[in-house]
Amino acid sequence: MQVRLAALVAAKVEGIRLSLNYSKLSDTVNLLLDAILHQWNLNLSYQPQNGTVNLKVRLDERHQTWVSQYAIERGINATSATNLLISEYLKGNSVNFSPQPQATMANDSNLIPPLSKQESDAEKPKGSALIRSLKL
């Protein structure tokens, strides 16, 4: 997912990118989103830079779901959510969000009803008999 940073946010992120010696603005944005998600305090020092050329950044897949969810909860788009999250984080404000836990295979298996005793005892067709029964 690509988002466009607001000019003021981009200037701050560009300053961080330069102080960290990162090659891409996207890498810096993804680092900041990691810090927000995991509630890290990076203690960043930076000088905002003017004249950031490319304001578009690509969010890593690991951030797309929770940033989109954050945006939906607030009735804004993902671009606005990204700018809001980074801006608040850089101001030192805590960001309140409740990411939904990702479904696990264990949870998914609970949705499948167990086979009844009668179904499990019945002999099941195999090989060519199975193929013939599927064609019917």
Side-chain angles (χ1 to χ4, degrees):
M1 167 189 316
Q2 262 193 343
V3 297
R4 183 181 178 94
L5 296 179
L8 292 174
V9 173
K12 292 176 182 179
V13 174
E14 178 66 11
I16 294 167
R17 184 192 72 76
L18 292 173
S19 69
L20 295 175
N21 243 358
Y22 277 27
S23 61
K24 295 180 185 175
L25 199 60
S26 292
D27 293 339
T28 310
V29 167
N30 286 301
L31 171 71
L32 291 171
L33 291 174
D34 280 328
I36 293 165
L37 180 64
H38 301 293
Q39 298 177 349
W40 299 336
N41 184 1
L42 296 179
N43 293 326
L44 297 168
S45 60
Y46 60 92
Q47 289 295 318
Q49 302 294 311
N50 291 328
T52 302
V53 177
N54 190 4
L55 301 177
K56 289 184 181 178
V57 295
R58 182 168 300 280
L59 300 184
D60 283 346
E61 286 184 29
R62 67 181 182 272
H63 298 303
Q64 292 177 13
T65 303
W66 75 267
V67 169
S68 295
Q69 177 187 341
Y70 182 85
I72 291 168
E73 288 173 359
R74 280 147 190 81
I76 58 178
N77 61 31
T79 296
S80 297
T82 303
N83 283 299
L84 176 62
L85 286 163
I86 292 173
S87 179
E88 291 298 309
Y89 179 78
L90 294 177
K91 285 181 187 175
N93 297 336
S94 63
V95 178
N96 296 323
F97 67 95
S98 55
Q100 297 295 324
Q102 294 182 355
T104 61
M105 291 303 286
N107 291 343
D108 291 344
S109 64
N110 292 339
L111 300 175
I112 301 171
L115 292 176
S116 68
K117 180 76 172 154
Q118 184 181 19
E119 289 174 352
S120 61
D121 287 345
E123 189 166 326
K124 298 176 183 162
K126 295 181 179 150
S128 60
L130 175 63
I131 301 298
R132 280 192 302 275
S133 69
L134 293 174
K135 289 181 181 178
L136 298 175

